[in-house]
Amino acid sequence: MGYLINNAPNNSYKEFATELFIKSIPHFSKLKHLRGVANTMIGLSSFLKAHPYDEYIIEELNKLADPLKAAYHAHKETGWNWFEEKMTYDNAILPLALLCHYETTQNQDSLAIGLESMEFLTSKTLDKGYLNPVGNDGWLFKAHEMALYDQQAIETMAIVLLYFKAYEITHDLKYIRQMYLSYQWFLGENSLRLPLYDYETKGCGDGLQTSGVNRNQGAESTLAYWISHLVILKSLEVEYEYSDLTDSKPVKEEVL
């Protein structure tokens, strides 16, 4: 709803989204799970781009940031810069929420935690030169090996969004490179060298498994691909020479 309010193509959509958004506000304090908190923070940050002087929503955003930062400080230890004792699904949404909080409020603690946890996630998922999202078949616990499969499209989408937000905040081109590298997971730059995006149906496979691609093309996976694709298109507005960032012709052809 926050995103729609900030990007609505007409007043009718904006008014409808605002009505639902306002009805959701009393429920913010009831959120217990970190990913629900994080997604709500991202929505409030979008809303505040359209209404930057809404002090009440700013305060609600700050309240939501507190438990997320507290979780990070409670679980962080040497070699483990994360919000929980394990990394499960949709992991990148957590540092993304704190980067959105910083972008809106200039809160330095959120910036520091967002960047530090993002680098930790990067060390676990981009260490082989291509994206290996945390597998849902076992996840990643402290002092254990990361599950390689079942890799999910929603995880890759969150990572793409995270790196683009990091670039918007820092203007460091390495995040653009990491964003493109992550996006290529959909196109076959993954551990099985198999594309999940289907050029015929325009859908996306539901995951990467030991046996190959899950050929079911559910709404969540397909939307995850297209949201990622739109972020890539948006990134082309960045003023740089594309060839300076990557030599990956398939991605260049796909995007352009």
Side-chain angles (χ1 to χ4, degrees), residues 4-24:
L4 181 57
I5 289 166
N6 187 45
N7 296 276
N10 56 57
N11 285 332
S12 179
Y13 284 5
K14 186 173 184 177
E15 290 171 0
F16 175 70
T18 301
E19 180 181 344
L20 292 179
F21 182 91
I22 291 171
K23 288 181 179 179
S24 75

Side-chain angles (χ1 to χ4, degrees), residues 11-74:
N11 285 332
S12 179
Y13 284 5
K14 186 173 184 177
E15 290 171 0
F16 175 70
T18 301
E19 180 181 344
L20 292 179
F21 182 91
I22 291 171
K23 288 181 179 179
S24 75
I25 293 174
H27 301 282
F28 295 165
S29 62
K30 302 174 186 177
L31 293 168
K32 302 300 181 184
H33 298 287
L34 293 184
R35 283 157 185 79
V37 170
N39 275 290
T40 303
M41 289 173 62
I42 295 166
L44 297 190
S45 296
S46 291
F47 173 88
L48 286 167
K49 290 180 179 179
H51 302 279
Y53 304 110
D54 191 321
E55 295 293 335
Y56 180 76
I57 296 300
I58 292 173
E59 181 59 27
E60 290 296 315
L61 177 60
N62 289 331
K63 288 179 183 177
L64 289 169
D66 287 341
L68 193 55
K69 290 189 285 186
Y72 184 79
H73 291 303

Side-chain angles (χ1 to χ4, degrees), residues 64-203:
L64 289 169
D66 287 341
L68 193 55
K69 290 189 285 186
Y72 184 79
H73 291 303
H75 291 92
K76 177 188 175 182
E77 58 185 53
T78 302
W80 187 260
N81 298 331
W82 200 245
F83 304 84
E84 300 168 307
E85 73 281 356
K86 60 185 180 296
M87 301 179 81
T88 57
Y89 69 98
D90 208 11
N91 294 292
I93 210 76
L94 303 179
L96 174 59
L98 289 178
L99 292 184
C100 288
H101 182 236
Y102 166 76
E103 185 181 43
T104 303
T105 67
Q106 300 300 296
N107 183 281
Q108 293 297 317
D109 194 29
S110 288
L111 175 63
I113 295 174
L115 292 177
E116 188 173 78
S117 56
M118 177 181 64
E119 293 303 331
F120 180 70
L121 179 62
T122 299
S123 72
K124 298 297 183 183
T125 58
L126 279 180
D127 59 318
K128 299 186 184 301
Y130 53 85
L131 182 66
N132 261 330
V134 175
N136 278 19
D137 189 17
W139 296 329
L140 172 60
F141 288 80
K142 290 181 185 178
H144 289 77
E145 292 294 319
M146 185 178 85
L148 185 57
Y149 304 104
D150 179 22
Q151 298 177 16
Q152 299 288 306
I154 190 174
E155 184 79 14
T156 301
M157 177 197 74
I159 291 174
V160 168
L161 289 167
L162 172 62
Y163 286 134
F164 188 58
K165 182 57 65 179
Y167 169 77
E168 287 185 309
I169 289 171
T170 68
H171 303 292
D172 189 335
L173 285 174
K174 77 174 183 179
Y175 298 125
I176 291 289
R177 297 186 185 97
Q178 291 171 334
M179 179 193 67
Y180 275 98
L181 187 60
S182 300
Y183 171 74
Q184 290 178 75
W185 180 88
F186 289 107
L187 308 179
E189 288 296 319
N190 51 54
S191 57
L192 294 183
R193 296 296 186 265
L194 294 173
L196 286 89
Y197 175 65
D198 188 324
Y199 287 89
E200 292 183 351
T201 66
K202 313 304 180 186

